[in-house]
Amino acid sequence: MLIAIEGIDGAGKTHIARKLAHNLRDGGYLARYLNKSDIEFGDAFTDSRLRLLKEIIWPEQGEPKIDLLGTHFYLFLLASWFSAVGQMLRREPRFGNLITVMDGSQFRVVAKAHCRAKIDRAQLLDYFDRAAEPDLVVLLEIEPHVSWHRRTVFKETEMGRWDGYRGDPRDAYCAYQTKIQNVLQEMACERGWLVVPQNEDTRDTDVVDCILQHIAAQHDVEEYHPARKATPCE
């Protein structure tokens, strides 16, 4: 089972994904957290290619204020990356008996490319046809002015600089992330995602509990809990 935690930049995807996986394990389930940008196949050549691709997509030296390469350059790189994530998951022998919680997915890439280049969402999703399809997508819904205060540093892309947003960093971030969240909300409605609203007073435990309750009500997860597996009749 694959669970993807989605949301705008600063929504808390990584934190909630880690905590959800931890709580599932504490409950006796076979579960793990997967960082979407940190995958390995255990093969020297393959992993070396992935390290090169990762450095291009998420460079350590930071981002410039403008993008000279254009939307499609990064779109195709990210499509390749998420194709590799899907390939890795499909190759894992225990994937069918494991709950994997991933921080983000291809859907935010689709939302950003749609906003930036006005590319049809259906066409964008076709680029990611080899990406892993989550069994459950959770959208962490939050007002950008709230998420702005959760972090001290944001990338140029997170403030919408590559999309033409200028001026005060906070204002640019809020305007850009509002646009992205609107698209994610539309996708959530279309695709039946679980939407978890957050505000200044929302605790991470409340968010995780909401997700756990949904999983218990909507998904058969007994096979991921070794202690609860039925014993065949003799």
Side-chain angles (χ1 to χ4, degrees):
M1 181 179 185
L2 176 62
I3 302 172
I5 308 299
E6 267 299 358
I8 62 173
D9 298 304
K13 297 182 293 296
T14 299
H15 176 69
I16 293 300
R18 289 181 185 274
K19 193 171 184 65
L20 176 60
H22 175 79
N23 283 26
L24 284 165
R25 287 194 301 273
D26 279 355
Y29 293 96
L30 297 172
R32 62 145 179 209
Y33 161 74
L34 176 65
N35 184 333
K36 69 178 184 304
S37 60
D38 191 16
I39 63 169
E40 291 184 347
F41 280 68
D43 174 78
F45 177 82
T46 303
D47 291 342
S48 69
R49 302 299 94 182
L50 288 173
R51 285 193 293 272
L52 290 172
L53 182 55
K54 179 179 178 179
E55 174 58 23
I56 297 173
I57 298 174
W58 298 288
E60 292 185 1
Q61 71 269 29
E63 300 171 340
K65 291 187 178 297
I66 60 172
D67 169 34
L68 299 179
L69 293 169
T71 303
H72 284 83
F73 177 81
Y74 292 99
L75 176 62
F76 293 141
L77 291 175
L78 284 160
S80 296
W81 183 266
F82 280 103
S83 175
V85 174
Q87 182 73 354
M88 185 198 74
L89 292 174
R90 286 186 289 269
R91 285 173 55 88
E92 291 187 341
R94 293 183 65 235
F95 178 53
N97 297 318
L98 180 70
I99 300 176
T100 296
V101 186
M102 186 165 66
D103 59 342
S105 69
Q106 62 271 19
F107 296 114
R108 190 160 55 103
V109 179
V110 168
K112 289 189 172 186
H114 173 71
C115 289
R116 187 180 188 195
K118 306 299 185 292
I119 306 172
D120 181 73
R121 291 209 303 267
Q123 179 183 345
L124 288 166
L125 288 169
D126 284 343
Y127 295 148
F128 294 89
D129 63 341
R130 294 299 297 165
E133 184 67 28
D135 300 284
L136 171 64
V137 179
V138 180
L139 175 60
L140 303 179
E141 191 177 68
I142 188 169
E143 291 296 327
H145 73 270
V146 176
S147 59
W148 171 261
H149 294 289
R150 289 185 167 188
R151 283 164 47 182
T152 57
V153 177
F154 287 93
K155 298 177 183 178
E156 299 296 331
T157 51
E158 294 173 337
M159 292 184 289
R161 299 308 195 194
W162 288 16
D163 290 59
Y165 289 81
R166 299 290 178 259
D168 178 75
R170 179 185 180 279
D171 292 344
Y173 168 85
C174 289
Y176 174 65
Q177 297 295 340
T178 295
K179 191 174 182 180
I180 300 303
Q181 181 155 259
N182 288 341
V183 177
L184 289 172
Q185 289 169 330
E186 291 176 5
M187 296 175 74
C189 183
E190 295 166 357
R191 305 178 73 88
W193 297 351
L194 171 63
V195 178
V196 182
Q198 301 180 89
N199 56 42
E200 296 94 334
D201 301 319
T202 304
R203 299 177 302 175
D204 56 0
T205 52
D206 295 331
V207 174
V208 171
D209 285 347
C210 178
I211 300 171
L212 289 172
Q213 290 171 17
H214 176 86
I215 293 172
Q218 301 295 327
H219 297 271
D220 182 7
V221 293
E222 293 305 304
E223 64 181 297
Y224 308 104
H225 197 304
R228 297 182 185 176
K229 287 184 179 179
T231 301
C233 297
E234 295 183 355

